[in-house]
Amino acid sequence: MTKIILKKGRDESLRRFHPWVFSGAVAQIVGQPSEGDVVGVFAHDGSFLAYGHYQIGSIAVRVLSFSGEDVLGPDFWVNMIGRALKVRMATGLANGLETNCFRLVHGEGDGLPGLIIDWYDGVCVLQAHSVGMFRSKGAICEALKSVFGERLKAVYDKSSGTAPFKAGLDLVDGYLYKAEGFSDDEQVVLENGNKFFVNWTEGQKTGFFLDQRENRALVGRYSAGRNVLNLFCYTGGFSVYALRGGALRVDSVDSSRKAVDMVGRNMDLNGYGSELHEDICADAIDFLRGVPEDKYDLMIVDPPAFAKHRGALSNALRAYQRLNAAAISKVAPGGLVFTFSCSQVVDKEAFALAVFSAAAQTGRSVRILDRLNQPADHSVNIYHPEGEYLKGLLLYVE
Ligand code: SAH
């Protein structure tokens, strides 16, 4: 196995269990690793630090184990996926009756950097964000079979958009496993008793945004008697909860035609007739411009990540400010705005500042009623605070 030897004094972050080795910390590579190989990481004095996947780029190794256990054998994956499942059992997600979809593996948060696995009632949708995880997908699939047995209906690999492209990698999405008789690319899942179609082949990301489960429930709690506007609605998660919570009416806006069509299907699925909702394919900002003041007294603003990397930060903050100013200025007096950012590089302080500036721009009186987060199944490793990405504010606007 290739040995990565760190520069003197550059072992500190690993000794504090941070799971990344930056290339600038590497003194010497003993061997000729290919990207994705498992390598051993050693301090300058030769002491063992970790095993991890080798990468080409600013992060040289993403750690799989600090303990020296065998990370190459099948037991490793069974053990790690078993541990991740145990956490989802502890939170009641993997064993409840009202919800049968959740994030099973959340990268660094579950000690598996670069790996996402979402569970949709027996269907696992896998996204590898590193070459190491991409090359391990066969072993991961075998481990899923062994952990879930007959409960596993299928494993779908959806890494083509996420695995860093390297010549020679076969980046085509497809099934790694299908149980006998299973043939659909779509199924109905339950989230807090609400039903949703999830289509992992056609949908965005793994098919559904599981990270908004708790925030959707909160929207439901505030929706009674309100006229709701759900901006960046995707397949209508917040919209269904709003109607369940007693909203008078919900309008859902997304720029993706496919997503908007799914909103209608999800409304039907939950028994909400067309008199209760309208699904609109439009750019959210353009749509907001035409919204009469006073029409909506609850708005949800959940845009895609405006900053995918640090370099895009200042533009992203300006975009969050513009969008939130538009929403705050249009919500009816006494109205609520649920506003979110899922950009990892925009931390909660920076986001709050952007929303603060937006509020100030409108001149309206705004209170913060709640601070919103990602749910427990999008777990954050305490040694890797970078894993925190979803943040939101619930605003009351006079
Ligand atoms: N709130 C959703 C998730 C939103 S993801 C949920 O609970 O499931 C972000 C969504 O924004 C995507 O569906 C994407 O199609 C949409 N989108 C991206 N740019 C947009 C724009 N300019 N106007 C409207 N929607 C947009």
Side-chain angles (χ1 to χ4, degrees):
M1 188 188 290
T2 294
K3 276 187 168 185
I4 307 280
I5 299 165
L6 301 189
K7 293 177 183 160
K8 204 167 176 185
R10 298 299 296 269
D11 52 340
E12 267 176 36
S13 70
L14 260 80
R15 295 201 190 274
R16 287 197 307 270
F17 306 113
H18 191 280
W20 296 344
V21 176
F22 288 99
S23 54
V26 175
Q28 196 191 347
I29 299 180
V30 185
Q32 287 187 320
S34 301
E35 188 161 28
D37 280 357
V38 170
V39 295
V41 185
F42 296 82
H44 194 71
D45 65 6
S47 55
F48 172 82
L49 293 169
Y51 290 127
H53 281 144
Y54 178 68
Q55 285 191 185
I56 294 163
S58 73
I59 301 177
V61 183
R62 293 169 90 174
V63 172
L64 297 168
S65 167
F66 290 99
S67 73
E69 74 201 289
D70 174 18
V71 297
L72 288 168
D75 290 352
F76 172 74
W77 298 103
V78 171
N79 175 36
M80 292 302 274
I81 290 169
R83 284 169 63 191
L85 176 61
K86 208 170 158 191
V87 179
R88 279 72 185 166
M89 302 278 277
T91 60
L93 279 170
N95 40 359
L97 296 175
E98 296 273 283
T99 298
N100 59 19
C101 53
F102 53 88
R103 178 149 291 187
L104 173 65
V105 173
H106 186 59
E108 279 83 352
D110 288 294
L112 293 171
L115 180 65
I116 296 295
I117 304 177
D118 285 343
W119 171 271
Y120 296 113
D121 189 23
V123 177
C124 284
V125 183
L126 175 156
Q127 282 192 319
H129 290 253
S130 69
V131 175
M133 286 301 175
F134 188 84
R135 282 175 47 193
S136 307
K137 61 188 184 173
I140 295 166
C141 179
E142 287 310 308
L144 288 167
K145 285 197 230 169
S146 136
V147 170
F148 290 103
E150 301 216 318
R151 288 167 66 199
L152 188 68
K153 297 174 186 169
V155 179
Y156 186 75
D157 169 31
K158 201 174 179 189
S159 303
S160 64
T162 60
F165 178 78
K166 288 282 168 302
L169 281 185
D170 181 18
L171 285 176
V172 178
D173 294 336
Y175 288 92
L176 303 175
Y177 168 72
K178 266 188 194 186
E180 236 180 272
F182 185 84
S183 62
D184 295 334
D185 289 333
E186 171 179 295
Q187 65 179 4
V188 174
V189 297
L190 270 181
E191 191 190 80
N192 288 320
N194 297 302
K195 294 179 202 154
F196 294 98
F197 285 109
V198 174
N199 185 316
W200 43 89
T201 61
E202 296 274 313
Q204 298 180 25
K205 302 282 175 87
T206 66
F208 196 55
F209 289 88
L210 293 164
D211 55 0
Q212 288 290 24
R213 181 192 314 108
E214 308 289 339
N215 299 322
R216 289 178 186 138
L218 195 67
V219 162
R221 294 223 303 272
Y222 277 97
S223 288
R226 293 197 182 260
N227 282 303
V228 174
L229 175 62
N230 182 7
L231 294 168
F232 307 94
C233 63
Y234 187 48
T235 56
F238 283 106
S239 308
V240 167
Y241 278 69
L243 286 176
R244 173 105 175 261
L248 300 176
R249 212 194 128 76
V250 180
D251 290 341
S252 308
V253 177
D254 200 286
S255 58
S256 151
R257 178 82 258 166
K258 266 192 209 163
V260 171
D261 290 344
M262 270 299 227
V263 180
R265 292 182 65 207
N266 281 329
M267 289 294 185
D268 286 350
L269 186 66
N270 289 279
Y272 300 121
S274 58
E275 72 288 0
L276 290 172
H277 69 96
E278 193 178 340
D279 314 320
I280 302 141
C281 185
D283 175 84
I285 289 263
D286 288 351
F287 182 84
L288 262 179
R289 244 179 240 125
V291 163
E293 280 160 32
D294 294 2
K295 180 166 184 190
Y296 299 107
D297 52 8
L298 194 159
M299 289 187 186
I300 298 126
V301 185
D302 183 25
F306 285 161
K308 297 233 155 58
H309 52 85
R310 231 154 239 298
L313 186 57
S314 56
N315 279 342
L317 290 173
R318 274 196 292 279
Y320 284 118
Q321 184 181 333
R322 258 198 314 276
L323 175 63
N324 281 283
I328 294 169
S329 69
K330 287 295 175 78
V331 74
L336 300 163
V337 179
F338 288 75
T339 182
F340 298 96
S341 162
C342 61
S343 306
Q344 188 263 320
V345 295
V346 176
D347 63 26
K348 46 181 180 282
E349 287 77 21
F351 180 62
L353 195 59
V355 177
F356 159 80
S357 307
Q361 202 178 319
T362 68
R364 297 183 72 175
S365 163
V366 179
R367 290 172 175 77
I368 297 174
L369 299 191
D370 215 339
R371 295 174 190 275
L372 314 172
N373 293 300
Q374 66 208 62
D377 52 334
H378 292 61
S379 40
V380 181
N381 173 351
I382 200 163
Y383 306 113
H384 178 258
E386 296 93 328
E388 223 176 303
Y389 71 99
L390 180 64
K391 68 230 61 105
L393 294 169
L394 167 52
L395 308 176
Y396 181 89
V397 184
E398 280 180 336

PDB file of all heavy atoms in Angstrom, residues 317-347:
ATOM      1  N   LEU A 317     -23.731  35.958  -2.050  1.00  0.00           N
ATOM      2  CA  LEU A 317     -24.333  36.743  -0.965  1.00  0.00           C
ATOM      3  C   LEU A 317     -25.207  37.857  -1.526  1.00  0.00           C
ATOM      4  O   LEU A 317     -26.291  38.132  -1.018  1.00  0.00           O
ATOM      5  CB  LEU A 317     -23.244  37.294  -0.041  1.00  0.00           C
ATOM      6  CG  LEU A 317     -22.557  36.206   0.800  1.00  0.00           C
ATOM      7  CD1 LEU A 317     -21.364  36.774   1.562  1.00  0.00           C
ATOM      8  CD2 LEU A 317     -23.549  35.560   1.778  1.00  0.00           C
ATOM      9  N   ARG A 318     -24.729  38.469  -2.611  1.00  0.00           N
ATOM     10  CA  ARG A 318     -25.553  39.510  -3.253  1.00  0.00           C
ATOM     11  C   ARG A 318     -26.845  38.911  -3.807  1.00  0.00           C
ATOM     12  O   ARG A 318     -27.916  39.503  -3.682  1.00  0.00           O
ATOM     13  CB  ARG A 318     -24.764  40.189  -4.367  1.00  0.00           C
ATOM     14  CG  ARG A 318     -23.901  41.347  -3.851  1.00  0.00           C
ATOM     15  CD  ARG A 318     -23.434  42.234  -5.000  1.00  0.00           C
ATOM     16  NE  ARG A 318     -22.495  41.537  -5.868  1.00  0.00           N
ATOM     17  CZ  ARG A 318     -21.185  41.403  -5.589  1.00  0.00           C
ATOM     18  NH1 ARG A 318     -20.687  41.937  -4.494  1.00  0.00           N
ATOM     19  NH2 ARG A 318     -20.391  40.748  -6.396  1.00  0.00           N
ATOM     20  N   ALA A 319     -26.745  37.720  -4.370  1.00  0.00           N
ATOM     21  CA  ALA A 319     -27.944  37.077  -4.929  1.00  0.00           C
ATOM     22  C   ALA A 319     -28.937  36.723  -3.816  1.00  0.00           C
ATOM     23  O   ALA A 319     -30.148  36.901  -3.965  1.00  0.00           O
ATOM     24  CB  ALA A 319     -27.552  35.831  -5.719  1.00  0.00           C
ATOM     25  N   TYR A 320     -28.431  36.224  -2.679  1.00  0.00           N
ATOM     26  CA  TYR A 320     -29.336  35.931  -1.552  1.00  0.00           C
ATOM     27  C   TYR A 320     -30.015  37.214  -1.074  1.00  0.00           C
ATOM     28  O   TYR A 320     -31.204  37.225  -0.750  1.00  0.00           O
ATOM     29  CB  TYR A 320     -28.578  35.273  -0.386  1.00  0.00           C
ATOM     30  CG  TYR A 320     -28.255  33.817  -0.640  1.00  0.00           C
ATOM     31  CD1 TYR A 320     -26.943  33.364  -0.699  1.00  0.00           C
ATOM     32  CD2 TYR A 320     -29.278  32.880  -0.833  1.00  0.00           C
ATOM     33  CE1 TYR A 320     -26.640  32.033  -0.952  1.00  0.00           C
ATOM     34  CE2 TYR A 320     -28.991  31.554  -1.085  1.00  0.00           C
ATOM     35  CZ  TYR A 320     -27.674  31.133  -1.144  1.00  0.00           C
ATOM     36  OH  TYR A 320     -27.385  29.810  -1.404  1.00  0.00           O
ATOM     37  N   GLN A 321     -29.245  38.288  -1.043  1.00  0.00           N
ATOM     38  CA  GLN A 321     -29.815  39.552  -0.575  1.00  0.00           C
ATOM     39  C   GLN A 321     -30.935  40.019  -1.514  1.00  0.00           C
ATOM     40  O   GLN A 321     -32.030  40.353  -1.073  1.00  0.00           O
ATOM     41  CB  GLN A 321     -28.715  40.613  -0.460  1.00  0.00           C
ATOM     42  CG  GLN A 321     -29.258  41.927   0.116  1.00  0.00           C
ATOM     43  CD  GLN A 321     -28.183  42.998   0.221  1.00  0.00           C
ATOM     44  OE1 GLN A 321     -27.001  42.692   0.353  1.00  0.00           O
ATOM     45  NE2 GLN A 321     -28.610  44.246   0.159  1.00  0.00           N
ATOM     46  N   ARG A 322     -30.651  39.984  -2.826  1.00  0.00           N
ATOM     47  CA  ARG A 322     -31.665  40.429  -3.804  1.00  0.00           C
ATOM     48  C   ARG A 322     -32.940  39.605  -3.706  1.00  0.00           C
ATOM     49  O   ARG A 322     -34.040  40.130  -3.654  1.00  0.00           O
ATOM     50  CB  ARG A 322     -31.103  40.266  -5.227  1.00  0.00           C
ATOM     51  CG  ARG A 322     -30.615  41.552  -5.854  1.00  0.00           C
ATOM     52  CD  ARG A 322     -30.480  41.423  -7.364  1.00  0.00           C
ATOM     53  NE  ARG A 322     -29.809  40.211  -7.804  1.00  0.00           N
ATOM     54  CZ  ARG A 322     -28.484  40.074  -7.886  1.00  0.00           C
ATOM     55  NH1 ARG A 322     -27.687  41.069  -7.558  1.00  0.00           N
ATOM     56  NH2 ARG A 322     -27.949  38.948  -8.300  1.00  0.00           N
ATOM     57  N   LEU A 323     -32.760  38.299  -3.651  1.00  0.00           N
ATOM     58  CA  LEU A 323     -33.914  37.400  -3.613  1.00  0.00           C
ATOM     59  C   LEU A 323     -34.737  37.625  -2.347  1.00  0.00           C
ATOM     60  O   LEU A 323     -35.972  37.715  -2.388  1.00  0.00           O
ATOM     61  CB  LEU A 323     -33.406  35.947  -3.678  1.00  0.00           C
ATOM     62  CG  LEU A 323     -34.432  34.848  -3.533  1.00  0.00           C
ATOM     63  CD1 LEU A 323     -35.446  34.907  -4.679  1.00  0.00           C
ATOM     64  CD2 LEU A 323     -33.747  33.470  -3.535  1.00  0.00           C
ATOM     65  N   ASN A 324     -34.058  37.731  -1.219  1.00  0.00           N
ATOM     66  CA  ASN A 324     -34.785  37.902   0.041  1.00  0.00           C
ATOM     67  C   ASN A 324     -35.448  39.269   0.139  1.00  0.00           C
ATOM     68  O   ASN A 324     -36.540  39.386   0.691  1.00  0.00           O
ATOM     69  CB  ASN A 324     -33.856  37.623   1.232  1.00  0.00           C
ATOM     70  CG  ASN A 324     -33.688  36.126   1.444  1.00  0.00           C
ATOM     71  OD1 ASN A 324     -34.576  35.474   1.969  1.00  0.00           O
ATOM     72  ND2 ASN A 324     -32.577  35.583   0.982  1.00  0.00           N
ATOM     73  N   ALA A 325     -34.791  40.285  -0.418  1.00  0.00           N
ATOM     74  CA  ALA A 325     -35.423  41.610  -0.420  1.00  0.00           C
ATOM     75  C   ALA A 325     -36.715  41.557  -1.234  1.00  0.00           C
ATOM     76  O   ALA A 325     -37.741  42.112  -0.825  1.00  0.00           O
ATOM     77  CB  ALA A 325     -34.465  42.649  -0.987  1.00  0.00           C
ATOM     78  N   ALA A 326     -36.670  40.847  -2.357  1.00  0.00           N
ATOM     79  CA  ALA A 326     -37.874  40.742  -3.193  1.00  0.00           C
ATOM     80  C   ALA A 326     -38.990  40.033  -2.429  1.00  0.00           C
ATOM     81  O   ALA A 326     -40.152  40.461  -2.451  1.00  0.00           O
ATOM     82  CB  ALA A 326     -37.547  39.995  -4.485  1.00  0.00           C
ATOM     83  N   ALA A 327     -38.647  38.965  -1.706  1.00  0.00           N
ATOM     84  CA  ALA A 327     -39.672  38.210  -0.974  1.00  0.00           C
ATOM     85  C   ALA A 327     -40.210  39.032   0.201  1.00  0.00           C
ATOM     86  O   ALA A 327     -41.430  39.153   0.374  1.00  0.00           O
ATOM     87  CB  ALA A 327     -39.092  36.887  -0.487  1.00  0.00           C
ATOM     88  N   ILE A 328     -39.297  39.615   0.980  1.00  0.00           N
ATOM     89  CA  ILE A 328     -39.736  40.364   2.172  1.00  0.00           C
ATOM     90  C   ILE A 328     -40.606  41.557   1.766  1.00  0.00           C
ATOM     91  O   ILE A 328     -41.595  41.874   2.420  1.00  0.00           O
ATOM     92  CB  ILE A 328     -38.498  40.817   2.996  1.00  0.00           C
ATOM     93  CG1 ILE A 328     -37.775  39.594   3.575  1.00  0.00           C
ATOM     94  CG2 ILE A 328     -38.907  41.764   4.129  1.00  0.00           C
ATOM     95  CD1 ILE A 328     -36.394  39.888   4.176  1.00  0.00           C
ATOM     96  N   SER A 329     -40.260  42.175   0.637  1.00  0.00           N
ATOM     97  CA  SER A 329     -41.036  43.355   0.245  1.00  0.00           C
ATOM     98  C   SER A 329     -42.447  42.974  -0.207  1.00  0.00           C
ATOM     99  O   SER A 329     -43.361  43.770  -0.127  1.00  0.00           O
ATOM    100  CB  SER A 329     -40.315  44.136  -0.850  1.00  0.00           C
ATOM    101  OG  SER A 329     -40.337  43.382  -2.030  1.00  0.00           O
ATOM    102  N   LYS A 330     -42.636  41.726  -0.663  1.00  0.00           N
ATOM    103  CA  LYS A 330     -43.940  41.345  -1.217  1.00  0.00           C
ATOM    104  C   LYS A 330     -44.849  40.596  -0.244  1.00  0.00           C
ATOM    105  O   LYS A 330     -46.042  40.457  -0.499  1.00  0.00           O
ATOM    106  CB  LYS A 330     -43.744  40.479  -2.469  1.00  0.00           C
ATOM    107  CG  LYS A 330     -43.259  41.251  -3.700  1.00  0.00           C
ATOM    108  CD  LYS A 330     -44.296  42.251  -4.162  1.00  0.00           C
ATOM    109  CE  LYS A 330     -43.843  43.142  -5.299  1.00  0.00           C
ATOM    110  NZ  LYS A 330     -43.859  42.534  -6.615  1.00  0.00           N
ATOM    111  N   VAL A 331     -44.312  40.099   0.854  1.00  0.00           N
ATOM    112  CA  VAL A 331     -45.174  39.288   1.731  1.00  0.00           C
ATOM    113  C   VAL A 331     -46.158  40.222   2.453  1.00  0.00           C
ATOM    114  O   VAL A 331     -45.832  41.370   2.776  1.00  0.00           O
ATOM    115  CB  VAL A 331     -44.317  38.443   2.719  1.00  0.00           C
ATOM    116  CG1 VAL A 331     -43.704  39.286   3.820  1.00  0.00           C
ATOM    117  CG2 VAL A 331     -45.117  37.276   3.298  1.00  0.00           C
ATOM    118  N   ALA A 332     -47.369  39.735   2.659  1.00  0.00           N
ATOM    119  CA  ALA A 332     -48.417  40.566   3.277  1.00  0.00           C
ATOM    120  C   ALA A 332     -48.052  40.913   4.719  1.00  0.00           C
ATOM    121  O   ALA A 332     -47.325  40.157   5.368  1.00  0.00           O
ATOM    122  CB  ALA A 332     -49.751  39.810   3.227  1.00  0.00           C
ATOM    123  N   PRO A 333     -48.555  42.019   5.255  1.00  0.00           N
ATOM    124  CA  PRO A 333     -48.276  42.363   6.654  1.00  0.00           C
ATOM    125  C   PRO A 333     -48.733  41.235   7.585  1.00  0.00           C
ATOM    126  O   PRO A 333     -49.809  40.670   7.399  1.00  0.00           O
ATOM    127  CB  PRO A 333     -49.125  43.625   6.882  1.00  0.00           C
ATOM    128  CG  PRO A 333     -49.321  44.198   5.519  1.00  0.00           C
ATOM    129  CD  PRO A 333     -49.378  43.030   4.572  1.00  0.00           C
ATOM    130  N   GLY A 334     -47.882  40.911   8.542  1.00  0.00           N
ATOM    131  CA  GLY A 334     -48.191  39.782   9.423  1.00  0.00           C
ATOM    132  C   GLY A 334     -47.817  38.456   8.784  1.00  0.00           C
ATOM    133  O   GLY A 334     -48.174  37.388   9.279  1.00  0.00           O
ATOM    134  N   GLY A 335     -47.074  38.537   7.677  1.00  0.00           N
ATOM    135  CA  GLY A 335     -46.734  37.333   6.923  1.00  0.00           C
ATOM    136  C   GLY A 335     -45.434  36.688   7.383  1.00  0.00           C
ATOM    137  O   GLY A 335     -44.657  37.271   8.141  1.00  0.00           O
ATOM    138  N   LEU A 336     -45.228  35.470   6.906  1.00  0.00           N
ATOM    139  CA  LEU A 336     -44.053  34.679   7.287  1.00  0.00           C
ATOM    140  C   LEU A 336     -43.217  34.377   6.051  1.00  0.00           C
ATOM    141  O   LEU A 336     -43.771  34.088   4.982  1.00  0.00           O
ATOM    142  CB  LEU A 336     -44.498  33.348   7.904  1.00  0.00           C
ATOM    143  CG  LEU A 336     -45.363  33.466   9.160  1.00  0.00           C
ATOM    144  CD1 LEU A 336     -46.076  32.140   9.417  1.00  0.00           C
ATOM    145  CD2 LEU A 336     -44.510  33.864  10.356  1.00  0.00           C
ATOM    146  N   VAL A 337     -41.905  34.427   6.212  1.00  0.00           N
ATOM    147  CA  VAL A 337     -41.005  34.009   5.130  1.00  0.00           C
ATOM    148  C   VAL A 337     -40.070  32.947   5.680  1.00  0.00           C
ATOM    149  O   VAL A 337     -39.359  33.190   6.663  1.00  0.00           O
ATOM    150  CB  VAL A 337     -40.182  35.194   4.569  1.00  0.00           C
ATOM    151  CG1 VAL A 337     -39.242  34.716   3.467  1.00  0.00           C
ATOM    152  CG2 VAL A 337     -41.105  36.300   4.040  1.00  0.00           C
ATOM    153  N   PHE A 338     -40.112  31.776   5.074  1.00  0.00           N
ATOM    154  CA  PHE A 338     -39.151  30.718   5.391  1.00  0.00           C
ATOM    155  C   PHE A 338     -38.061  30.806   4.336  1.00  0.00           C
ATOM    156  O   PHE A 338     -38.315  30.512   3.171  1.00  0.00           O
ATOM    157  CB  PHE A 338     -39.798  29.335   5.307  1.00  0.00           C
ATOM    158  CG  PHE A 338     -40.758  29.022   6.414  1.00  0.00           C
ATOM    159  CD1 PHE A 338     -42.020  29.580   6.447  1.00  0.00           C
ATOM    160  CD2 PHE A 338     -40.393  28.133   7.427  1.00  0.00           C
ATOM    161  CE1 PHE A 338     -42.912  29.276   7.466  1.00  0.00           C
ATOM    162  CE2 PHE A 338     -41.278  27.822   8.450  1.00  0.00           C
ATOM    163  CZ  PHE A 338     -42.537  28.392   8.473  1.00  0.00           C
ATOM    164  N   THR A 339     -36.875  31.235   4.734  1.00  0.00           N
ATOM    165  CA  THR A 339     -35.834  31.433   3.728  1.00  0.00           C
ATOM    166  C   THR A 339     -34.614  30.569   4.017  1.00  0.00           C
ATOM    167  O   THR A 339     -34.213  30.423   5.162  1.00  0.00           O
ATOM    168  CB  THR A 339     -35.450  32.929   3.608  1.00  0.00           C
ATOM    169  OG1 THR A 339     -34.462  33.057   2.583  1.00  0.00           O
ATOM    170  CG2 THR A 339     -34.917  33.508   4.918  1.00  0.00           C
ATOM    171  N   PHE A 340     -34.047  29.988   2.940  1.00  0.00           N
ATOM    172  CA  PHE A 340     -32.983  28.989   3.112  1.00  0.00           C
ATOM    173  C   PHE A 340     -31.778  29.268   2.227  1.00  0.00           C
ATOM    174  O   PHE A 340     -31.890  29.907   1.179  1.00  0.00           O
ATOM    175  CB  PHE A 340     -33.503  27.592   2.736  1.00  0.00           C
ATOM    176  CG  PHE A 340     -34.631  27.130   3.592  1.00  0.00           C
ATOM    177  CD1 PHE A 340     -35.951  27.286   3.182  1.00  0.00           C
ATOM    178  CD2 PHE A 340     -34.380  26.546   4.829  1.00  0.00           C
ATOM    179  CE1 PHE A 340     -37.002  26.868   3.982  1.00  0.00           C
ATOM    180  CE2 PHE A 340     -35.421  26.121   5.628  1.00  0.00           C
ATOM    181  CZ  PHE A 340     -36.737  26.282   5.207  1.00  0.00           C
ATOM    182  N   SER A 341     -30.647  28.692   2.651  1.00  0.00           N
ATOM    183  CA  SER A 341     -29.477  28.589   1.784  1.00  0.00           C
ATOM    184  C   SER A 341     -28.871  27.204   1.991  1.00  0.00           C
ATOM    185  O   SER A 341     -28.657  26.778   3.119  1.00  0.00           O
ATOM    186  CB  SER A 341     -28.438  29.643   2.147  1.00  0.00           C
ATOM    187  OG  SER A 341     -27.184  29.244   1.597  1.00  0.00           O
ATOM    188  N   CYS A 342     -28.595  26.523   0.879  1.00  0.00           N
ATOM    189  CA  CYS A 342     -27.944  25.217   0.990  1.00  0.00           C
ATOM    190  C   CYS A 342     -26.506  25.278   0.477  1.00  0.00           C
ATOM    191  O   CYS A 342     -25.893  24.250   0.215  1.00  0.00           O
ATOM    192  CB  CYS A 342     -28.752  24.147   0.256  1.00  0.00           C
ATOM    193  SG  CYS A 342     -28.930  24.473  -1.488  1.00  0.00           S
ATOM    194  N   SER A 343     -25.959  26.509   0.339  1.00  0.00           N
ATOM    195  CA  SER A 343     -24.558  26.641  -0.084  1.00  0.00           C
ATOM    196  C   SER A 343     -23.664  26.368   1.115  1.00  0.00           C
ATOM    197  O   SER A 343     -23.732  27.089   2.111  1.00  0.00           O
ATOM    198  CB  SER A 343     -24.253  28.060  -0.566  1.00  0.00           C
ATOM    199  OG  SER A 343     -25.144  28.455  -1.566  1.00  0.00           O
ATOM    200  N   GLN A 344     -22.799  25.391   0.986  1.00  0.00           N
ATOM    201  CA  GLN A 344     -21.930  25.036   2.111  1.00  0.00           C
ATOM    202  C   GLN A 344     -20.985  26.186   2.473  1.00  0.00           C
ATOM    203  O   GLN A 344     -20.727  26.439   3.648  1.00  0.00           O
ATOM    204  CB  GLN A 344     -21.155  23.758   1.761  1.00  0.00           C
ATOM    205  CG  GLN A 344     -20.366  23.173   2.914  1.00  0.00           C
ATOM    206  CD  GLN A 344     -18.924  23.596   2.856  1.00  0.00           C
ATOM    207  OE1 GLN A 344     -18.333  23.656   1.796  1.00  0.00           O
ATOM    208  NE2 GLN A 344     -18.361  23.914   4.000  1.00  0.00           N
ATOM    209  N   VAL A 345     -20.517  26.928   1.451  1.00  0.00           N
ATOM    210  CA  VAL A 345     -19.535  27.988   1.742  1.00  0.00           C
ATOM    211  C   VAL A 345     -20.171  29.249   2.347  1.00  0.00           C
ATOM    212  O   VAL A 345     -19.460  30.119   2.828  1.00  0.00           O
ATOM    213  CB  VAL A 345     -18.694  28.379   0.495  1.00  0.00           C
ATOM    214  CG1 VAL A 345     -17.837  27.210   0.064  1.00  0.00           C
ATOM    215  CG2 VAL A 345     -19.567  28.863  -0.640  1.00  0.00           C
ATOM    216  N   VAL A 346     -21.499  29.329   2.305  1.00  0.00           N
ATOM    217  CA  VAL A 346     -22.185  30.456   2.963  1.00  0.00           C
ATOM    218  C   VAL A 346     -22.570  29.988   4.362  1.00  0.00           C
ATOM    219  O   VAL A 346     -23.487  29.198   4.523  1.00  0.00           O
ATOM    220  CB  VAL A 346     -23.450  30.865   2.162  1.00  0.00           C
ATOM    221  CG1 VAL A 346     -24.217  31.961   2.889  1.00  0.00           C
ATOM    222  CG2 VAL A 346     -23.076  31.305   0.761  1.00  0.00           C
ATOM    223  N   ASP A 347     -21.849  30.444   5.386  1.00  0.00           N
ATOM    224  CA  ASP A 347     -22.175  29.939   6.732  1.00  0.00           C
ATOM    225  C   ASP A 347     -23.379  30.693   7.297  1.00  0.00           C
ATOM    226  O   ASP A 347     -23.876  31.640   6.693  1.00  0.00           O
ATOM    227  CB  ASP A 347     -20.963  29.982   7.661  1.00  0.00           C
ATOM    228  CG  ASP A 347     -20.470  31.395   7.905  1.00  0.00           C
ATOM    229  OD1 ASP A 347     -21.268  32.345   7.809  1.00  0.00           O
ATOM    230  OD2 ASP A 347     -19.269  31.549   8.184  1.00  0.00           O
TER     231      ASP A 347
END
